[in-house]
Structures are given as structure tokens and as C-alpha cells.
Amino acid sequence: MSNFDSYGFPPSISKELHKLGFVKPTPIQAQAIPVALSGRDMMGMAQTGTGKTAAFALPMLIRLMSHPQQTALVLAPTRELAMQIHAFVKQLSGKNINLHSALLIGGASMHNQTRELRQRPRILIATPGRLVDHLRSQPKLLQNAGILVLDEADRMLDMGFLPQLKVILRNLPKVRQTMMFSATFPNAIKNLAAQFLNKPAEVAVGEPSRPVQKIEQAIIETTQKGKNDILLDELNARQGPVLIFTRTKHRTDRLSRYLESYGYNVTRIHGNRTQAQRRNAIEGFRSGEFRILVATDIAARGLDIDGIAHVINYDLPQVPEDYIHRIGRTARNGKAGQALCLLTPEDRGMWKAISRLN
Ligand code: AMP
């Protein structure tokens, strides 16, 4: 695979890539960037941690630089993912390029976002619900959108965002470039692609819905009652940061209190926590202040934290595909990682479904 240097990117972009330490494109980037630069619609099947953000962000920035009238819209299912994309885009667009971007997510002040929109940002990074809120008062917000990116489209459908996506689609220009990324490719995603994309080129890395190779997976069979003891043993036997998934907000709270009572540095995220609490939890986990993060699926989606050594599935997910997303939080960026599942007899059916994907 050739280096980014041979891509002929504008110098300002090359400089920022260099600063980030990106030398060679990842496989999804090598496939997607030339297609995206050609202006074609694209359907990308990419696992977590593959570098898909840069795969769409680089061509998007380059197109915006050469089309000064156009804007771009990036949709993501969760606030955390939107924030991560925003941080990445801001870093890449740096000071030299001067492409202003705005983050439109729930849980943050509508008023501040409206004020930001007055500065006419060229890039909007949004969660679907909040964008629809803004469209109510600013129906022309998307009139110049020449690029649309749907990131983690499967997750957007799982979270019930289809009605909002349809409203957004009605507000977008018909002529535009659309790039859609999804880790899985069920029929619902094919239908969505048929509505949003026009003769898309398909790019894929590895088999769809399969975990990243470097993850070592293990199971321990136990009972509901036995889970806590096993978890303590496993936490003591392992080194490094641990992300633990539970099924519900309540179980997340309860488990993190339990671990706290044993003296662990633990924090937690789930959908009922405020934006500030979620941010503090993630930043505290990222910085090492907390060794353990307990989370529900919704809150942990899209987390990009380097160096998560272990993912422990205290409970199995409700949908088999979420297992792939969960364990994809470790072994990011080419590093190794371990995933452990605590399985109870009631989990048998779900574990079978997961094993079929795996
Ligand atoms: P993503 O799948 O977009 O969340 O990216 C996963 C991680 O890989 C992020 O931490 C990126 O900063 C990093 N990354 C993406 N592309 C490259 C590249 N070409 N070289 C090195 N690191 C990369």
C-alpha cells in the first residue's frame, strides 16, 4: 500500500496527516478514498477501529475546499461518536484550511448551537434527532449540502432513527454525494441504502460482521449469582484498562457501585447520565484516572479509546451484532486485546446467534 504522500492531497491536509502520524492508509482508506474523491456514492462496510472516519473525512474536506459553495453533513447515531468525528475533522481541517464545523447533538444547548449556525459552518456533524429540531426553525439549513455521510448506519436504525432520517432526506438537495458506513449489512440497511444512495460503489474490509482478528475471545460459564465473584477474580488477574458491558442502566449503576465498594477506580456511562457526566466518565477513563468503565451498549457505541486491554461482557447484548461492536472497543489501531463473556444458562440462545456471526 502506498503512502499518503503519493495521494497528491493539498499540502495543508498532508501536513495535518503528518502531525497525526498517519503515514499509510488503512485498508478501508486505501479502498474508499479514491472512490470518494471521484465523487461517486459509496457504501462502506467497515468494522470498528478500521480508520473509517478518515476514509470519509479526507475526501469530504478536499471536496469542500474545491467547492466553496457546498456544505457537508455527517450523521452519527450517538453523541460520543459525533463528538469524536468532530474532534477529528477539526484537527484535520486545522488552522490553515479554515473550514468551520459545528456539532449538533442532543444534551447540549440548542441556543449555543443556533448561534454557531449563524456563522455558516461548512460542515455539520449531527445526531439525527437534534438535526431535525434545528430543521424546524431553519428549513433551509441543508440546502447547500453537497455531501452526506451516514456513519454507523446500522446503529442508527437499531436506535429507531429511521423517521428522522427520512425527514433529513427530504431536506437535502437531490444532487449530492452520499457515503454510508455500516458494520453490518442486514436487509434494513440495504433498504436504507436504496433510499439514500445512487448506484453506490461498495467497499469492504474483510468479511462483514466479523470481529477484528487481534481480539482473543474467551467465555466463562456461570450463573447470574456467580457473575460478581468471577468478575472480581478476572479483574485481579488482568492488567490494564477494562470496559465492562451490562444490559441495563440500572445494572450499570449497580455493578459500578459494587466494584467501587471493593476499591476499584470505576466510572460509568449510560443513556440517563447527563452529557457532562458522560464526557467526564469517558475522559477519566481515557486519561487513566479510572481503570474501569461500566457501560450500556448505547453509551459505549463509537468509543475510540486507544489501549482498552479488555472488554468484559458481564451481560450479553440484546442484539447479536452489538457483540461485534462491543469487542471492537479493544484491539484498536492494530493493538491486541482480550474479550471475555460471562455466560449463564439463559444466554444459550443468544450466544449461538453471536457465534454464527463470529
Ligand atoms: P476509526 O475506525 O475511524 O475510529 O479509527 C480508528 C483509529 O485509527 C483512530 O484512533 C485513528 O486515529 C487511527 N487511524 C486512522 N487512520 C489511520 C492511519 N492511516 N494511520 C494510523 N492511524 C490511523
Side-chain angles (χ1 to χ4, degrees), residues 4 17 20-26 28-29 46-56 58 81 84 88 151-152 302-306 329 332-334:
F4 277 125
L17 283 177
L20 283 169
F22 289 15
V23 180
K24 271 184 197 289
T26 65
I28 186 79
Q29 290 163 2
Q47 298 165 4
T48 50
T50 52
K52 65 184 160 57
T53 315
F56 66 75
L58 284 167
L81 182 60
Q84 259 167 221
F88 186 72
D151 198 10
E152 301 202 344
L303 265 189
D304 177 21
I305 298 183
D306 256 4
R329 301 301 122 204
R332 291 180 80 74
N333 222 347

PDB file of all heavy atoms in Angstrom, residues 4 17 20-26 28-29 46-56 58 81 84 88 151-152 302-306 329 332-334, ligand 1:
ATOM      1  N   PHE A   4       0.496   8.030   2.090  1.00  0.00           N
ATOM      2  CA  PHE A   4      -0.401   9.156   1.828  1.00  0.00           C
ATOM      3  C   PHE A   4       0.270  10.204   0.938  1.00  0.00           C
ATOM      4  O   PHE A   4      -0.398  10.912   0.200  1.00  0.00           O
ATOM      5  CB  PHE A   4      -0.842   9.808   3.146  1.00  0.00           C
ATOM      6  CG  PHE A   4      -2.008   9.107   3.793  1.00  0.00           C
ATOM      7  CD1 PHE A   4      -1.928   8.654   5.102  1.00  0.00           C
ATOM      8  CD2 PHE A   4      -3.196   8.923   3.105  1.00  0.00           C
ATOM      9  CE1 PHE A   4      -3.008   8.021   5.701  1.00  0.00           C
ATOM     10  CE2 PHE A   4      -4.287   8.288   3.695  1.00  0.00           C
ATOM     11  CZ  PHE A   4      -4.188   7.844   4.998  1.00  0.00           C
ATOM     12  N   LEU A  17      -1.995  15.386   8.369  1.00  0.00           N
ATOM     13  CA  LEU A  17      -1.859  13.921   8.449  1.00  0.00           C
ATOM     14  C   LEU A  17      -0.512  13.555   9.067  1.00  0.00           C
ATOM     15  O   LEU A  17      -0.420  12.643   9.891  1.00  0.00           O
ATOM     16  CB  LEU A  17      -1.953  13.298   7.050  1.00  0.00           C
ATOM     17  CG  LEU A  17      -3.355  13.187   6.456  1.00  0.00           C
ATOM     18  CD1 LEU A  17      -3.285  12.629   5.042  1.00  0.00           C
ATOM     19  CD2 LEU A  17      -4.244  12.300   7.320  1.00  0.00           C
ATOM     20  N   LEU A  20      -0.584  13.963  12.697  1.00  0.00           N
ATOM     21  CA  LEU A  20      -1.317  12.880  13.362  1.00  0.00           C
ATOM     22  C   LEU A  20      -0.537  11.568  13.348  1.00  0.00           C
ATOM     23  O   LEU A  20      -0.918  10.603  14.001  1.00  0.00           O
ATOM     24  CB  LEU A  20      -2.651  12.633  12.635  1.00  0.00           C
ATOM     25  CG  LEU A  20      -3.765  13.618  12.895  1.00  0.00           C
ATOM     26  CD1 LEU A  20      -4.898  13.399  11.909  1.00  0.00           C
ATOM     27  CD2 LEU A  20      -4.295  13.446  14.314  1.00  0.00           C
ATOM     28  N   GLY A  21       0.525  11.539  12.564  1.00  0.00           N
ATOM     29  CA  GLY A  21       1.313  10.312  12.463  1.00  0.00           C
ATOM     30  C   GLY A  21       0.704   9.299  11.500  1.00  0.00           C
ATOM     31  O   GLY A  21       1.020   8.121  11.554  1.00  0.00           O
ATOM     32  N   PHE A  22      -0.202   9.757  10.633  1.00  0.00           N
ATOM     33  CA  PHE A  22      -0.782   8.853   9.627  1.00  0.00           C
ATOM     34  C   PHE A  22       0.145   8.834   8.425  1.00  0.00           C
ATOM     35  O   PHE A  22       0.287   9.833   7.734  1.00  0.00           O
ATOM     36  CB  PHE A  22      -2.157   9.355   9.159  1.00  0.00           C
ATOM     37  CG  PHE A  22      -3.265   9.244  10.173  1.00  0.00           C
ATOM     38  CD1 PHE A  22      -3.014   9.027  11.517  1.00  0.00           C
ATOM     39  CD2 PHE A  22      -4.593   9.366   9.759  1.00  0.00           C
ATOM     40  CE1 PHE A  22      -4.047   8.928  12.441  1.00  0.00           C
ATOM     41  CE2 PHE A  22      -5.634   9.265  10.671  1.00  0.00           C
ATOM     42  CZ  PHE A  22      -5.361   9.051  12.012  1.00  0.00           C
ATOM     43  N   VAL A  23       0.769   7.702   8.162  1.00  0.00           N
ATOM     44  CA  VAL A  23       1.705   7.611   7.038  1.00  0.00           C
ATOM     45  C   VAL A  23       1.076   6.839   5.885  1.00  0.00           C
ATOM     46  O   VAL A  23       0.993   7.308   4.760  1.00  0.00           O
ATOM     47  CB  VAL A  23       3.016   6.930   7.483  1.00  0.00           C
ATOM     48  CG1 VAL A  23       3.996   6.831   6.315  1.00  0.00           C
ATOM     49  CG2 VAL A  23       3.639   7.712   8.640  1.00  0.00           C
ATOM     50  N   LYS A  24       0.599   5.643   6.214  1.00  0.00           N
ATOM     51  CA  LYS A  24      -0.019   4.789   5.187  1.00  0.00           C
ATOM     52  C   LYS A  24      -1.517   4.729   5.431  1.00  0.00           C
ATOM     53  O   LYS A  24      -1.950   4.688   6.587  1.00  0.00           O
ATOM     54  CB  LYS A  24       0.502   3.363   5.354  1.00  0.00           C
ATOM     55  CG  LYS A  24       1.752   3.042   4.593  1.00  0.00           C
ATOM     56  CD  LYS A  24       2.021   1.556   4.836  1.00  0.00           C
ATOM     57  CE  LYS A  24       3.392   1.157   4.493  1.00  0.00           C
ATOM     58  NZ  LYS A  24       3.912   1.062   3.282  1.00  0.00           N
ATOM     59  N   PRO A  25      -2.301   4.659   4.349  1.00  0.00           N
ATOM     60  CA  PRO A  25      -3.740   4.481   4.557  1.00  0.00           C
ATOM     61  C   PRO A  25      -4.033   3.092   5.123  1.00  0.00           C
ATOM     62  O   PRO A  25      -3.311   2.145   4.818  1.00  0.00           O
ATOM     63  CB  PRO A  25      -4.333   4.627   3.155  1.00  0.00           C
ATOM     64  CG  PRO A  25      -3.217   4.358   2.216  1.00  0.00           C
ATOM     65  CD  PRO A  25      -1.945   4.736   2.929  1.00  0.00           C
ATOM     66  N   THR A  26      -5.063   2.974   5.933  1.00  0.00           N
ATOM     67  CA  THR A  26      -5.519   1.655   6.379  1.00  0.00           C
ATOM     68  C   THR A  26      -6.244   1.016   5.178  1.00  0.00           C
ATOM     69  O   THR A  26      -6.572   1.719   4.205  1.00  0.00           O
ATOM     70  CB  THR A  26      -6.500   1.790   7.561  1.00  0.00           C
ATOM     71  OG1 THR A  26      -7.669   2.467   7.093  1.00  0.00           O
ATOM     72  CG2 THR A  26      -5.882   2.563   8.718  1.00  0.00           C
ATOM     73  N   ILE A  28      -9.330   0.151   4.586  1.00  0.00           N
ATOM     74  CA  ILE A  28     -10.595   0.796   4.176  1.00  0.00           C
ATOM     75  C   ILE A  28     -10.297   2.157   3.539  1.00  0.00           C
ATOM     76  O   ILE A  28     -10.940   2.559   2.568  1.00  0.00           O
ATOM     77  CB  ILE A  28     -11.618   0.931   5.346  1.00  0.00           C
ATOM     78  CG1 ILE A  28     -12.970   1.472   4.861  1.00  0.00           C
ATOM     79  CG2 ILE A  28     -11.149   1.841   6.443  1.00  0.00           C
ATOM     80  CD1 ILE A  28     -13.847   0.475   4.206  1.00  0.00           C
ATOM     81  N   GLN A  29      -9.302   2.839   4.050  1.00  0.00           N
ATOM     82  CA  GLN A  29      -8.943   4.137   3.467  1.00  0.00           C
ATOM     83  C   GLN A  29      -8.397   3.954   2.051  1.00  0.00           C
ATOM     84  O   GLN A  29      -8.747   4.718   1.148  1.00  0.00           O
ATOM     85  CB  GLN A  29      -7.910   4.849   4.352  1.00  0.00           C
ATOM     86  CG  GLN A  29      -8.503   5.312   5.673  1.00  0.00           C
ATOM     87  CD  GLN A  29      -7.456   5.647   6.723  1.00  0.00           C
ATOM     88  OE1 GLN A  29      -6.259   5.572   6.473  1.00  0.00           O
ATOM     89  NE2 GLN A  29      -7.918   5.991   7.917  1.00  0.00           N
ATOM     90  N   ALA A  46     -17.427  -1.441   7.094  1.00  0.00           N
ATOM     91  CA  ALA A  46     -16.176  -1.389   7.834  1.00  0.00           C
ATOM     92  C   ALA A  46     -16.404  -1.680   9.301  1.00  0.00           C
ATOM     93  O   ALA A  46     -17.367  -1.205   9.901  1.00  0.00           O
ATOM     94  CB  ALA A  46     -15.548  -0.004   7.682  1.00  0.00           C
ATOM     95  N   GLN A  47     -15.526  -2.478   9.847  1.00  0.00           N
ATOM     96  CA  GLN A  47     -15.587  -2.769  11.273  1.00  0.00           C
ATOM     97  C   GLN A  47     -15.103  -1.552  12.064  1.00  0.00           C
ATOM     98  O   GLN A  47     -14.480  -0.656  11.502  1.00  0.00           O
ATOM     99  CB  GLN A  47     -14.662  -3.952  11.589  1.00  0.00           C
ATOM    100  CG  GLN A  47     -15.067  -5.216  10.893  1.00  0.00           C
ATOM    101  CD  GLN A  47     -13.953  -6.255  10.927  1.00  0.00           C
ATOM    102  OE1 GLN A  47     -12.923  -6.032  11.540  1.00  0.00           O
ATOM    103  NE2 GLN A  47     -14.173  -7.352  10.260  1.00  0.00           N
ATOM    104  N   THR A  48     -15.344  -1.621  13.351  1.00  0.00           N
ATOM    105  CA  THR A  48     -14.860  -0.532  14.209  1.00  0.00           C
ATOM    106  C   THR A  48     -13.332  -0.558  14.263  1.00  0.00           C
ATOM    107  O   THR A  48     -12.728  -1.620  14.136  1.00  0.00           O
ATOM    108  CB  THR A  48     -15.396  -0.698  15.638  1.00  0.00           C
ATOM    109  OG1 THR A  48     -15.133  -2.033  16.036  1.00  0.00           O
ATOM    110  CG2 THR A  48     -16.869  -0.439  15.707  1.00  0.00           C
ATOM    111  N   GLY A  49     -12.755   0.604  14.407  1.00  0.00           N
ATOM    112  CA  GLY A  49     -11.311   0.683  14.570  1.00  0.00           C
ATOM    113  C   GLY A  49     -10.518   0.527  13.287  1.00  0.00           C
ATOM    114  O   GLY A  49      -9.304   0.367  13.322  1.00  0.00           O
ATOM    115  N   THR A  50     -11.193   0.601  12.149  1.00  0.00           N
ATOM    116  CA  THR A  50     -10.503   0.373  10.880  1.00  0.00           C
ATOM    117  C   THR A  50      -9.992   1.660  10.235  1.00  0.00           C
ATOM    118  O   THR A  50      -9.323   1.605   9.209  1.00  0.00           O
ATOM    119  CB  THR A  50     -11.457  -0.308   9.876  1.00  0.00           C
ATOM    120  OG1 THR A  50     -12.661   0.462   9.826  1.00  0.00           O
ATOM    121  CG2 THR A  50     -11.778  -1.730  10.286  1.00  0.00           C
ATOM    122  N   GLY A  51     -10.342   2.789  10.799  1.00  0.00           N
ATOM    123  CA  GLY A  51      -9.928   4.067  10.218  1.00  0.00           C
ATOM    124  C   GLY A  51     -10.971   4.640   9.275  1.00  0.00           C
ATOM    125  O   GLY A  51     -10.664   5.433   8.389  1.00  0.00           O
ATOM    126  N   LYS A  52     -12.242   4.303   9.498  1.00  0.00           N
ATOM    127  CA  LYS A  52     -13.262   4.749   8.551  1.00  0.00           C
ATOM    128  C   LYS A  52     -13.543   6.253   8.656  1.00  0.00           C
ATOM    129  O   LYS A  52     -13.970   6.863   7.688  1.00  0.00           O
ATOM    130  CB  LYS A  52     -14.545   3.933   8.675  1.00  0.00           C
ATOM    131  CG  LYS A  52     -15.274   4.064   9.969  1.00  0.00           C
ATOM    132  CD  LYS A  52     -16.461   3.123   9.986  1.00  0.00           C
ATOM    133  CE  LYS A  52     -16.949   2.855  11.383  1.00  0.00           C
ATOM    134  NZ  LYS A  52     -17.338   4.030  12.156  1.00  0.00           N
ATOM    135  N   THR A  53     -13.256   6.847   9.809  1.00  0.00           N
ATOM    136  CA  THR A  53     -13.505   8.293   9.936  1.00  0.00           C
ATOM    137  C   THR A  53     -12.675   9.064   8.909  1.00  0.00           C
ATOM    138  O   THR A  53     -13.204   9.892   8.167  1.00  0.00           O
ATOM    139  CB  THR A  53     -13.172   8.775  11.360  1.00  0.00           C
ATOM    140  OG1 THR A  53     -13.730   7.854  12.282  1.00  0.00           O
ATOM    141  CG2 THR A  53     -13.731  10.164  11.603  1.00  0.00           C
ATOM    142  N   ALA A  54     -11.381   8.750   8.868  1.00  0.00           N
ATOM    143  CA  ALA A  54     -10.538   9.451   7.896  1.00  0.00           C
ATOM    144  C   ALA A  54     -10.917   9.062   6.466  1.00  0.00           C
ATOM    145  O   ALA A  54     -10.771   9.871   5.546  1.00  0.00           O
ATOM    146  CB  ALA A  54      -9.067   9.128   8.150  1.00  0.00           C
ATOM    147  N   ALA A  55     -11.437   7.831   6.289  1.00  0.00           N
ATOM    148  CA  ALA A  55     -11.814   7.378   4.938  1.00  0.00           C
ATOM    149  C   ALA A  55     -12.883   8.281   4.334  1.00  0.00           C
ATOM    150  O   ALA A  55     -12.889   8.522   3.138  1.00  0.00           O
ATOM    151  CB  ALA A  55     -12.297   5.930   4.983  1.00  0.00           C
ATOM    152  N   PHE A  56     -13.795   8.805   5.162  1.00  0.00           N
ATOM    153  CA  PHE A  56     -14.756   9.749   4.580  1.00  0.00           C
ATOM    154  C   PHE A  56     -14.361  11.209   4.806  1.00  0.00           C
ATOM    155  O   PHE A  56     -14.651  12.078   4.012  1.00  0.00           O
ATOM    156  CB  PHE A  56     -16.191   9.480   5.060  1.00  0.00           C
ATOM    157  CG  PHE A  56     -16.468   9.707   6.530  1.00  0.00           C
ATOM    158  CD1 PHE A  56     -16.583  10.985   7.047  1.00  0.00           C
ATOM    159  CD2 PHE A  56     -16.654   8.637   7.389  1.00  0.00           C
ATOM    160  CE1 PHE A  56     -16.856  11.193   8.392  1.00  0.00           C
ATOM    161  CE2 PHE A  56     -16.927   8.824   8.737  1.00  0.00           C
ATOM    162  CZ  PHE A  56     -17.028  10.117   9.230  1.00  0.00           C
ATOM    163  N   LEU A  58     -11.368  12.750   4.881  1.00  0.00           N
ATOM    164  CA  LEU A  58     -10.367  13.324   3.964  1.00  0.00           C
ATOM    165  C   LEU A  58     -10.995  13.737   2.633  1.00  0.00           C
ATOM    166  O   LEU A  58     -10.877  14.902   2.226  1.00  0.00           O
ATOM    167  CB  LEU A  58      -9.223  12.329   3.746  1.00  0.00           C
ATOM    168  CG  LEU A  58      -8.221  12.199   4.894  1.00  0.00           C
ATOM    169  CD1 LEU A  58      -7.336  10.972   4.702  1.00  0.00           C
ATOM    170  CD2 LEU A  58      -7.366  13.451   4.978  1.00  0.00           C
ATOM    171  N   LEU A  81     -19.959   9.427  19.367  1.00  0.00           N
ATOM    172  CA  LEU A  81     -19.358   9.246  18.042  1.00  0.00           C
ATOM    173  C   LEU A  81     -19.311  10.586  17.309  1.00  0.00           C
ATOM    174  O   LEU A  81     -18.304  10.929  16.683  1.00  0.00           O
ATOM    175  CB  LEU A  81     -20.138   8.204  17.224  1.00  0.00           C
ATOM    176  CG  LEU A  81     -19.560   7.909  15.843  1.00  0.00           C
ATOM    177  CD1 LEU A  81     -18.140   7.370  15.929  1.00  0.00           C
ATOM    178  CD2 LEU A  81     -20.434   6.922  15.070  1.00  0.00           C
ATOM    179  N   GLN A  84     -16.470  12.574  18.568  1.00  0.00           N
ATOM    180  CA  GLN A  84     -15.176  12.063  18.091  1.00  0.00           C
ATOM    181  C   GLN A  84     -14.924  12.483  16.652  1.00  0.00           C
ATOM    182  O   GLN A  84     -13.813  12.881  16.298  1.00  0.00           O
ATOM    183  CB  GLN A  84     -15.181  10.545  18.152  1.00  0.00           C
ATOM    184  CG  GLN A  84     -14.449  10.030  19.362  1.00  0.00           C
ATOM    185  CD  GLN A  84     -14.722   8.563  19.604  1.00  0.00           C
ATOM    186  OE1 GLN A  84     -14.896   8.172  20.740  1.00  0.00           O
ATOM    187  NE2 GLN A  84     -14.756   7.747  18.577  1.00  0.00           N
ATOM    188  N   PHE A  88     -11.936  14.987  15.246  1.00  0.00           N
ATOM    189  CA  PHE A  88     -11.035  14.552  14.180  1.00  0.00           C
ATOM    190  C   PHE A  88     -11.078  15.535  13.002  1.00  0.00           C
ATOM    191  O   PHE A  88     -10.044  15.952  12.475  1.00  0.00           O
ATOM    192  CB  PHE A  88     -11.433  13.143  13.731  1.00  0.00           C
ATOM    193  CG  PHE A  88     -10.489  12.545  12.745  1.00  0.00           C
ATOM    194  CD1 PHE A  88      -9.226  12.129  13.127  1.00  0.00           C
ATOM    195  CD2 PHE A  88     -10.860  12.398  11.418  1.00  0.00           C
ATOM    196  CE1 PHE A  88      -8.345  11.573  12.214  1.00  0.00           C
ATOM    197  CE2 PHE A  88      -9.988  11.845  10.495  1.00  0.00           C
ATOM    198  CZ  PHE A  88      -8.729  11.434  10.888  1.00  0.00           C
ATOM    199  N   ASP A 151     -22.795   7.644   9.196  1.00  0.00           N
ATOM    200  CA  ASP A 151     -21.837   6.756   9.851  1.00  0.00           C
ATOM    201  C   ASP A 151     -22.584   5.809  10.789  1.00  0.00           C
ATOM    202  O   ASP A 151     -23.562   6.200  11.423  1.00  0.00           O
ATOM    203  CB  ASP A 151     -20.808   7.581  10.637  1.00  0.00           C
ATOM    204  CG  ASP A 151     -19.561   6.756  10.963  1.00  0.00           C
ATOM    205  OD1 ASP A 151     -19.430   5.640  10.428  1.00  0.00           O
ATOM    206  OD2 ASP A 151     -18.724   7.234  11.740  1.00  0.00           O
ATOM    207  N   GLU A 152     -22.114   4.574  10.869  1.00  0.00           N
ATOM    208  CA  GLU A 152     -22.756   3.548  11.691  1.00  0.00           C
ATOM    209  C   GLU A 152     -24.258   3.508  11.428  1.00  0.00           C
ATOM    210  O   GLU A 152     -25.091   3.607  12.331  1.00  0.00           O
ATOM    211  CB  GLU A 152     -22.429   3.768  13.174  1.00  0.00           C
ATOM    212  CG  GLU A 152     -20.926   3.724  13.408  1.00  0.00           C
ATOM    213  CD  GLU A 152     -20.507   3.398  14.838  1.00  0.00           C
ATOM    214  OE1 GLU A 152     -21.344   3.501  15.733  1.00  0.00           O
ATOM    215  OE2 GLU A 152     -19.332   3.033  15.028  1.00  0.00           O
ATOM    216  N   GLY A 302     -19.190   3.536  19.436  1.00  0.00           N
ATOM    217  CA  GLY A 302     -18.326   4.527  18.779  1.00  0.00           C
ATOM    218  C   GLY A 302     -17.151   4.998  19.616  1.00  0.00           C
ATOM    219  O   GLY A 302     -16.356   5.791  19.149  1.00  0.00           O
ATOM    220  N   LEU A 303     -17.051   4.519  20.858  1.00  0.00           N
ATOM    221  CA  LEU A 303     -15.929   4.944  21.697  1.00  0.00           C
ATOM    222  C   LEU A 303     -14.604   4.632  21.019  1.00  0.00           C
ATOM    223  O   LEU A 303     -14.364   3.503  20.629  1.00  0.00           O
ATOM    224  CB  LEU A 303     -15.926   4.113  22.982  1.00  0.00           C
ATOM    225  CG  LEU A 303     -16.596   4.629  24.231  1.00  0.00           C
ATOM    226  CD1 LEU A 303     -16.235   3.717  25.380  1.00  0.00           C
ATOM    227  CD2 LEU A 303     -16.166   6.032  24.504  1.00  0.00           C
ATOM    228  N   ASP A 304     -13.766   5.618  20.887  1.00  0.00           N
ATOM    229  CA  ASP A 304     -12.454   5.361  20.304  1.00  0.00           C
ATOM    230  C   ASP A 304     -11.414   5.711  21.358  1.00  0.00           C
ATOM    231  O   ASP A 304     -10.989   6.841  21.478  1.00  0.00           O
ATOM    232  CB  ASP A 304     -12.271   6.207  19.043  1.00  0.00           C
ATOM    233  CG  ASP A 304     -10.882   6.028  18.450  1.00  0.00           C
ATOM    234  OD1 ASP A 304     -10.241   5.001  18.754  1.00  0.00           O
ATOM    235  OD2 ASP A 304     -10.446   6.918  17.703  1.00  0.00           O
ATOM    236  N   ILE A 305     -11.078   4.729  22.159  1.00  0.00           N
ATOM    237  CA  ILE A 305     -10.077   4.956  23.195  1.00  0.00           C
ATOM    238  C   ILE A 305      -8.975   3.937  22.963  1.00  0.00           C
ATOM    239  O   ILE A 305      -9.219   2.729  22.997  1.00  0.00           O
ATOM    240  CB  ILE A 305     -10.687   4.794  24.597  1.00  0.00           C
ATOM    241  CG1 ILE A 305     -11.792   5.826  24.796  1.00  0.00           C
ATOM    242  CG2 ILE A 305      -9.609   4.939  25.671  1.00  0.00           C
ATOM    243  CD1 ILE A 305     -12.436   5.820  26.154  1.00  0.00           C
ATOM    244  N   ASP A 306      -7.799   4.461  22.697  1.00  0.00           N
ATOM    245  CA  ASP A 306      -6.667   3.562  22.476  1.00  0.00           C
ATOM    246  C   ASP A 306      -6.314   2.873  23.778  1.00  0.00           C
ATOM    247  O   ASP A 306      -6.414   3.459  24.840  1.00  0.00           O
ATOM    248  CB  ASP A 306      -5.459   4.401  22.029  1.00  0.00           C
ATOM    249  CG  ASP A 306      -5.228   4.247  20.546  1.00  0.00           C
ATOM    250  OD1 ASP A 306      -6.041   3.558  19.904  1.00  0.00           O
ATOM    251  OD2 ASP A 306      -4.247   4.815  20.056  1.00  0.00           O
ATOM    252  N   ARG A 329     -14.139  -2.442  20.694  1.00  0.00           N
ATOM    253  CA  ARG A 329     -13.584  -1.329  21.500  1.00  0.00           C
ATOM    254  C   ARG A 329     -12.167  -1.635  21.947  1.00  0.00           C
ATOM    255  O   ARG A 329     -11.449  -0.754  22.390  1.00  0.00           O
ATOM    256  CB  ARG A 329     -14.439  -1.070  22.769  1.00  0.00           C
ATOM    257  CG  ARG A 329     -15.872  -0.718  22.526  1.00  0.00           C
ATOM    258  CD  ARG A 329     -15.994   0.496  21.693  1.00  0.00           C
ATOM    259  NE  ARG A 329     -16.753   0.193  20.504  1.00  0.00           N
ATOM    260  CZ  ARG A 329     -16.656   0.876  19.387  1.00  0.00           C
ATOM    261  NH1 ARG A 329     -15.859   1.890  19.299  1.00  0.00           N
ATOM    262  NH2 ARG A 329     -17.363   0.545  18.349  1.00  0.00           N
ATOM    263  N   ARG A 332      -7.841  -1.798  19.153  1.00  0.00           N
ATOM    264  CA  ARG A 332      -7.946  -0.728  18.166  1.00  0.00           C
ATOM    265  C   ARG A 332      -6.566  -0.365  17.654  1.00  0.00           C
ATOM    266  O   ARG A 332      -5.575  -0.562  18.345  1.00  0.00           O
ATOM    267  CB  ARG A 332      -8.636   0.491  18.777  1.00  0.00           C
ATOM    268  CG  ARG A 332     -10.095   0.203  19.037  1.00  0.00           C
ATOM    269  CD  ARG A 332     -10.781   1.388  19.649  1.00  0.00           C
ATOM    270  NE  ARG A 332     -11.156   2.397  18.681  1.00  0.00           N
ATOM    271  CZ  ARG A 332     -12.145   2.296  17.825  1.00  0.00           C
ATOM    272  NH1 ARG A 332     -12.858   1.206  17.764  1.00  0.00           N
ATOM    273  NH2 ARG A 332     -12.422   3.276  17.000  1.00  0.00           N
ATOM    274  N   ASN A 333      -6.576   0.124  16.420  1.00  0.00           N
ATOM    275  CA  ASN A 333      -5.339   0.657  15.882  1.00  0.00           C
ATOM    276  C   ASN A 333      -4.215  -0.377  15.855  1.00  0.00           C
ATOM    277  O   ASN A 333      -3.071  -0.075  16.183  1.00  0.00           O
ATOM    278  CB  ASN A 333      -4.931   1.843  16.777  1.00  0.00           C
ATOM    279  CG  ASN A 333      -4.431   2.975  15.931  1.00  0.00           C
ATOM    280  OD1 ASN A 333      -4.172   2.783  14.745  1.00  0.00           O
ATOM    281  ND2 ASN A 333      -4.301   4.140  16.527  1.00  0.00           N
ATOM    282  N   GLY A 334      -4.577  -1.632  15.522  1.00  0.00           N
ATOM    283  CA  GLY A 334      -3.559  -2.668  15.370  1.00  0.00           C
ATOM    284  C   GLY A 334      -3.065  -3.292  16.666  1.00  0.00           C
ATOM    285  O   GLY A 334      -2.238  -4.184  16.648  1.00  0.00           O
TER     286      GLY A 334
HETATM  287  P1  AMP B   1     -11.776   4.878  13.281  1.00  0.00           P
HETATM  288  O1  AMP B   1     -12.115   3.492  12.781  1.00  0.00           O
HETATM  289  O2  AMP B   1     -12.011   5.940  12.275  1.00  0.00           O
HETATM  290  O3  AMP B   1     -12.441   5.152  14.607  1.00  0.00           O
HETATM  291  O4  AMP B   1     -10.194   4.917  13.548  1.00  0.00           O
HETATM  292  C1  AMP B   1      -9.551   4.083  14.474  1.00  0.00           C
HETATM  293  C2  AMP B   1      -8.223   4.639  14.964  1.00  0.00           C
HETATM  294  O5  AMP B   1      -7.214   4.528  13.963  1.00  0.00           O
HETATM  295  C3  AMP B   1      -8.268   6.106  15.349  1.00  0.00           C
HETATM  296  O6  AMP B   1      -7.601   6.243  16.587  1.00  0.00           O
HETATM  297  C4  AMP B   1      -7.482   6.809  14.252  1.00  0.00           C
HETATM  298  O7  AMP B   1      -6.855   7.976  14.740  1.00  0.00           O
HETATM  299  C5  AMP B   1      -6.499   5.772  13.807  1.00  0.00           C
HETATM  300  N1  AMP B   1      -6.138   5.866  12.375  1.00  0.00           N
HETATM  301  C6  AMP B   1      -6.994   6.043  11.354  1.00  0.00           C
HETATM  302  N2  AMP B   1      -6.354   6.043  10.160  1.00  0.00           N
HETATM  303  C7  AMP B   1      -5.041   5.855  10.434  1.00  0.00           C
HETATM  304  C8  AMP B   1      -3.847   5.756   9.610  1.00  0.00           C
HETATM  305  N3  AMP B   1      -3.900   5.836   8.287  1.00  0.00           N
HETATM  306  N4  AMP B   1      -2.670   5.577  10.249  1.00  0.00           N
HETATM  307  C9  AMP B   1      -2.625   5.470  11.597  1.00  0.00           C
HETATM  308  N5  AMP B   1      -3.697   5.561  12.429  1.00  0.00           N
HETATM  309  C10 AMP B   1      -4.898   5.732  11.857  1.00  0.00           C
END
